[in-house]
Amino acid sequence: MLWTAAGVATLGFLIALEFAARGYGEPGPITAVASDLVLAPDSGPLLYAGLALTMVVLTWRERAIAAAAAIGIDVVFFLGRLIAGGGLSFGNGALWVTLGCAVVAVTRRTGAERALLLKGVALGLLLVLGHRTGDTWLLITAKSHPLVLDPYVALADHALGNPSWVVGRIVEASSPVGDNLLHVVYGQLPLAAALVGLYQLRNVGVERRFPAHHLVRTFLVIGLLGPAIYMIFPVVGPVYAYGTEGGAWAAANVWPDTLPLIGTAHPIPFDEITPRNCMPSLHTAWAVTLFVHSRKGARWMRWAGTFWLVATLTATLGFGYHYGVDLVAGVVFALTVETAMRAFARGWDRPATVLIGYGAVVFAALLTAYRYLPRHLADLPWLFGPLLLLAMGSVVLLYVRTTRSWDPEPEAPAPRQTPPAKPQPELA
């Protein structure tokens, strides 16, 4: 019943987004995914990541058949596009096979096996639909908010020492090597999350059940809730509001070389194309969640999770996509959502309720301060800078303490007792 209710709610949400996007003359997420069945997909690796998540519920023989079928279908589409002179893209086969698994579940499976396969299909499709849903959300934020609040956030960012300007100059100096590496890390974050999710779900095919909690669940919920906050706090980012990417709409062309002079913060008009997707930084939220879930993996995964977190934070600032205060809000947002998802899986208790409530209050307080107190934050950076970091750090500390109480460290084995030596007979 729970899965049915979640499925109905998700379908209703996708249909609503479809109508909203069409109201602006653009295709919605359902149309976009349907087009990937025939037209050239935008992201082949994402479609194969969705198929990989679906295949966690299959046996090794079934996985081999599914992978071969996906590749075979892709070869057919590839040759067709090559003959027609189209783009050399791939991924159609992965989506066809994922949907084929749903048909097999309905027509050839029963009982628990049918439910398990349908859950695998739902997980794979949600990854794909989540990406398309995010694109639609971003379109709606641009179309529905002609004014942006970048001057408020840029002013508040003075409290943290304007890290986007600092890191932007560092990344600019490291070009092209550092610049290209960070672009790869920033753009392939969903693929990295899928790999960590696959690691966590690697035993589903043997155990025939999903773990109570895994990365993909939190990843999808963050992507669902985050854009709703964009509608409340529309911000385009320093490279657009104060840099070359903003074109004629930029308030100034100074990023990352010179700080903008902001007198009284006020909303500024911007185009209807650039997404208002800065507050909070969802790339930061996703990278933090990936880091948290990689802590229980193998050593290579822990190192990879750390690298992806550091590189993502560097990219979000260094490319001018976010202000420093966006990242602070993103960390608080991520840990609050992660706590809620873990509590939903393991059962609610007082520590979970306290942590979620506290995280929500801190997040709301941050956004309120950015919007209504930016001048105070900028004028007293020695006071408010540490306070912002302290607020974020308090959520991190409470999260660590709470989750450790949920998952206590295994007790060390008792030291082995050496049996007493037998007494030796005395010699006469």
Side-chain angles (χ1 to χ4, degrees):
M1 291 181 63
L2 181 62
W3 275 87
T4 302
V8 171
T10 302
L11 181 61
F13 175 72
L14 291 173
I15 293 174
L17 276 184
E18 185 75 27
F19 278 105
R22 290 190 173 276
Y24 291 112
E26 299 288 340
I30 299 176
T31 302
V33 172
S35 69
D36 286 341
L37 288 170
V38 180
L39 303 180
D42 291 335
S43 178
L46 181 70
L47 294 175
Y48 269 94
L51 175 60
L53 287 175
T54 298
M55 290 197 301
V56 298
V57 303
L58 304 179
T59 63
W60 282 107
R61 179 176 176 275
E62 292 168 338
R63 291 171 185 171
I65 294 173
I71 295 173
I73 295 172
D74 258 334
V75 169
V76 174
F77 275 97
F78 180 84
L79 293 176
R81 291 193 187 100
L82 193 62
I83 295 172
L88 305 181
S89 58
F90 66 97
N92 305 88
L95 186 56
W96 275 103
V97 173
T98 302
L99 294 175
C101 289
V103 174
V104 170
V106 173
T107 59
R108 304 293 297 273
R109 301 286 177 88
T110 59
E113 286 297 312
R114 171 186 289 178
L116 184 67
L117 183 52
L118 286 176
K119 288 179 182 179
V121 171
L123 195 63
L125 287 179
L126 279 175
L127 182 68
V128 177
L129 280 167
H131 179 75
R132 291 299 196 175
T133 299
D135 292 342
T136 303
W137 260 122
L138 297 182
L139 168 71
I140 294 174
T141 63
K143 296 290 187 181
S144 61
H145 286 79
L147 300 178
V148 297
L149 304 178
D150 281 78
Y152 295 88
V153 184
L155 197 57
D157 213 37
H158 287 12
L160 298 178
N162 307 286
S164 182
W165 271 257
V166 176
V167 181
R169 288 194 289 269
I170 295 174
V171 171
E172 197 175 60
S174 69
S175 184
V177 177
D179 181 86
N180 292 334
L181 175 62
L182 291 177
H183 269 295
V184 171
V185 172
Y186 190 85
Q188 296 303 323
L189 184 59
L191 181 60
L195 294 176
V196 175
L198 287 172
Y199 180 85
Q200 293 179 326
L201 302 174
R202 64 192 183 280
N203 295 323
V204 172
V206 177
E207 299 176 354
R208 312 310 295 165
R209 64 180 181 85
F210 279 88
H213 180 52
H214 52 85
L215 170 65
V216 181
R217 299 170 74 244
T218 304
F219 211 84
L220 292 172
V221 172
I222 287 176
L224 178 66
L225 297 179
I229 302 171
Y230 296 160
M231 304 293 288
I232 302 172
F233 210 117
V235 181
V236 293
V239 73
Y240 296 100
Y242 301 106
T244 56
E245 296 295 327
W249 293 94
N253 188 2
V254 294
W255 185 90
D257 301 313
T258 309
L259 291 175
L261 297 176
I262 302 174
T264 302
H266 61 280
I268 58 175
F270 217 79
D271 61 31
E272 295 184 0
I273 301 173
T274 307
R276 279 61 164 155
N277 61 339
C278 281
M279 183 61 70
S281 168
L282 292 196
H283 264 78
T284 297
W286 283 321
V288 167
T289 307
L290 190 150
F291 173 80
V292 168
H293 281 263
S294 67
R295 294 306 88 195
K296 293 186 178 181
R299 177 176 295 180
W300 66 267
M301 179 168 288
R302 296 196 298 271
W303 279 104
T306 303
F307 165 76
W308 221 274
L309 175 62
V310 174
T312 300
L313 298 183
T314 304
T316 56
L317 293 173
F319 294 150
Y321 296 150
H322 289 280
Y323 302 91
V325 291
D326 301 341
L327 275 61
V328 172
V331 172
V332 175
F333 180 72
L335 296 181
T336 304
V337 174
E338 170 67 11
T339 303
M341 298 306 296
R342 289 196 63 173
F344 182 79
R346 70 180 297 276
W348 293 88
D349 57 12
R350 186 175 180 277
T353 304
V354 170
L355 177 52
I356 294 170
Y358 180 70
V361 169
V362 171
F363 183 73
L366 290 173
L367 265 61
T368 302
Y370 301 159
R371 177 63 176 82
Y372 296 105
L373 302 173
R375 173 54 63 187
H376 295 80
L377 270 62
D379 289 343
L380 299 173
W382 57 269
L383 173 62
F384 288 107
L387 282 179
L388 292 177
L389 297 178
L390 182 62
M392 179 188 72
S394 65
V395 175
V396 173
L397 178 61
L398 185 58
Y399 174 82
V400 171
R401 292 180 60 182
T402 302
T403 52
R404 281 183 177 174
S405 68
W406 289 345
D407 302 315
E409 295 291 333
E411 295 183 3
R416 191 172 180 181
Q417 299 291 334
T418 304
K422 293 182 179 180
Q424 297 294 327
E426 294 182 6
L427 297 177

